[in-house]
Amino acid sequence: MFKDKKVVFSGVQPSGDLTIGNYLGAIKNFKTFSEEYYCLYCVVNEHAITVRQNPAELRKRTYETLALYMACGLDPEKNTLFVQSHVPAHAELGWILDCYTMFGELSRMTQFKDKSAKNADNINAGLFTYPSLMAADILLYQTEMVPVGVDQKQHLELTRNIAERFNQVYGETFVVPEGYIPQTTAKIMSLSEPTKKMSKSDENENAVVRILDPKDVIIRKFKRAVTDSGSEIRRGEGKDGIMNLMSIYGAFTGKTEEEIEREFEGKGYGDFKMAVGEACADALAPVQAEFARLAADKAYLETVMEKGAEDASRLAARTMSKVRRKLGFVELGRK
Ligand code: TYM
């Protein structure tokens, strides 16, 4: 607990242009914690290099992800917004936690299996130990709550196991965190293959709506979205495409599934897809405008990064000092 508030931590990889899955599953919810909790939101660039990145692109996306956090309403005065590589304690604790994470546990991670299949020529050790670095991100700040999409649930459960294991050996060291997974938007699906997660690294551009896509592109992508052979806007078996569009429409308009079904009674898929596209583009327009303003001011983004790194480092140092002492690492200058 810092400043008498419970801690919220989450992170986004700057590994591609962010999608409405990232927005609805995670970033949009970050703001709801800002008043009550001490919130840290990190651009996790160290995680991103588990897959080969173009350095210039990675640098650019790091600024952009920070600007998007702010464009989505995160005030840097009320939240600690920072970049992972600016706080070396993440990598340090990551290594330590590697030694408290079992090979068998890491082997069971579905994200590792998926990413190894996609990057068969680069199944590096970092890809394998990714979850212990993620555990370090979270445990470093004595985090109570982690808002994420459902694809991160397995990593969170592993984080809890690592924390409990460490606490059992060394006595209370880490807070054991809980996940906060939204109900209807925990897994936004691909528009082309609605049984698959919408992913920022998807090679099929029509499958993904990006937060910064212009309105005409958003509408075109929704128009092309794969639906089933029926014609009714209703939930049901085999209606993955329609149910995905209903979750997206509901999230952007605040309407419930029943309300959506009633609104589109007697109407066809074409009308519905158009409405989803319009609602999505309208909701993202203010985020895009604010992003354009912020992204143009690199110097300002750097001052936010600097302040964020300072605050995060100070908090991380407290946990690290405790961890080193418990492990038996000699600390100098503690007379
Ligand atoms: P990343 O960068 O893949 O995604 C960022 C956040 O977006 C959520 N998300 C989705 N939610 C709903 N539907 C989707 N289609 C969708 N796609 C992505 C993710 O669940 C995530 O919340 N391992 C993390 C980054 C990370 C992290 C952390 C998160 C590193 N350390 C510590 C929380 C706490 C990741 O790869 O997210």
Side-chain angles (χ1 to χ4, degrees):
M1 196 176 286
F2 298 119
K3 297 183 182 166
D4 298 328
K5 283 185 172 179
K6 290 183 175 177
V7 177
V8 165
F9 181 97
S10 198
V12 174
Q13 294 191 62
S15 52
D17 292 332
L18 302 192
T19 72
I20 56 168
N22 300 126
Y23 180 69
L24 297 176
I27 305 175
K28 184 167 174 263
N29 306 316
F30 290 177
K31 199 170 59 167
T32 58
F33 298 99
S34 291
E35 296 295 334
E36 242 178 280
Y37 290 80
Y38 186 97
C39 298
L40 297 118
Y41 297 119
C42 185
V43 182
V44 289
N45 57 348
E46 290 170 339
H47 279 93
I49 62 163
T50 53
V51 171
R52 286 282 173 271
Q53 302 289 333
N54 170 309
E57 283 282 308
L58 180 63
R59 192 172 294 114
K60 177 169 156 272
R61 287 200 174 115
T62 303
Y63 284 98
E64 287 180 356
T65 307
L66 188 82
L68 255 184
Y69 276 167
M70 286 190 271
C72 292
L74 296 176
D75 178 348
E77 298 294 324
K78 289 192 185 155
N79 305 271
T80 295
L81 307 180
F82 72 107
V83 177
Q84 189 180 28
S85 62
H86 292 158
V87 182
H90 288 250
E92 185 184 359
L93 186 60
W95 167 254
I96 292 170
L97 296 184
D98 273 346
C99 305
Y100 295 82
T101 310
M102 300 301 129
F103 183 88
E105 287 174 316
L106 293 172
S107 309
R108 285 193 289 277
M109 294 293 117
T110 54
Q111 187 164 308
F112 171 67
K113 291 184 204 164
D114 291 349
K115 287 204 174 173
S116 320
K118 273 192 207 153
N119 300 281
D121 56 342
N122 183 25
I123 307 177
N124 61 71
L127 195 62
F128 189 62
T129 62
Y130 179 113
S132 7
L133 180 59
M134 177 159 162
D137 299 338
I138 297 168
L139 301 181
L140 200 46
Y141 301 100
Q142 308 295 350
T143 303
E144 307 249 353
M145 184 95 85
V146 187
V148 278
V150 80
D151 61 330
Q152 297 303 315
K153 197 168 170 211
Q154 199 185 26
H155 289 163
L156 267 183
E157 273 158 17
L158 179 57
T159 300
R160 290 170 56 87
N161 291 342
I162 297 170
E164 277 164 3
R165 182 173 299 141
F166 198 98
N167 287 349
Q168 212 153 34
V169 179
Y170 299 100
E172 281 308 302
T173 310
F174 298 120
V175 168
V176 180
E178 302 280 343
Y180 174 90
I181 297 176
Q183 280 202 329
T184 55
T185 55
K187 193 172 186 185
I188 299 297
M189 300 301 194
S190 149
L191 296 192
S192 308
E193 287 173 77
T195 49
K196 214 179 89 183
K197 185 187 81 163
M198 184 182 286
S199 162
K200 55 171 122 71
S201 56
D202 201 316
E203 279 162 14
N204 175 5
E205 239 342 272
N206 285 325
V208 213
V209 177
R210 305 200 183 266
I211 302 178
L212 298 176
D213 275 345
K215 182 165 184 167
D216 59 323
V217 173
I218 293 180
I219 289 180
R220 192 180 68 229
K221 286 180 176 176
F222 278 111
K223 271 192 187 160
R224 288 194 186 154
V226 167
T227 42
D228 54 275
S229 56
S231 60
E232 289 192 340
I233 319 302
R234 289 213 158 271
R235 287 160 288 173
E237 194 73 20
K239 303 267 263 178
D240 302 302
I242 281 296
M243 292 199 305
N244 186 38
L245 295 182
M246 285 173 79
S247 318
I248 295 171
Y249 187 63
F252 282 122
T253 58
K255 292 177 186 167
T256 63
E257 288 165 328
E258 290 74 22
E259 285 169 336
I260 300 171
E261 287 176 348
R262 241 177 287 131
E263 183 179 350
F264 290 95
E265 224 171 303
K267 293 192 180 143
Y269 285 170
D271 291 333
F272 180 50
K273 287 182 186 176
M274 191 65 198
V276 183
E278 292 274 354
C280 173
D282 291 349
L284 293 179
V287 173
Q288 295 180 350
E290 189 58 7
F291 173 83
R293 195 180 68 79
L294 289 162
D297 195 348
K298 250 177 147 180
Y300 171 61
L301 292 175
E302 281 170 12
T303 62
V304 172
M305 285 179 189
E306 252 165 61
K307 179 180 168 289
E310 232 171 72
D311 290 348
S313 299
R314 202 171 45 245
L315 301 179
R318 291 202 217 165
T319 300
M320 283 317 297
S321 155
K322 197 153 108 181
V323 168
R324 290 191 203 103
R325 201 169 59 242
K326 295 211 176 202
L327 286 171
F329 288 0
V330 173
E331 284 207 272
L332 298 176
R334 306 185 104 251
K335 290 196 188 90

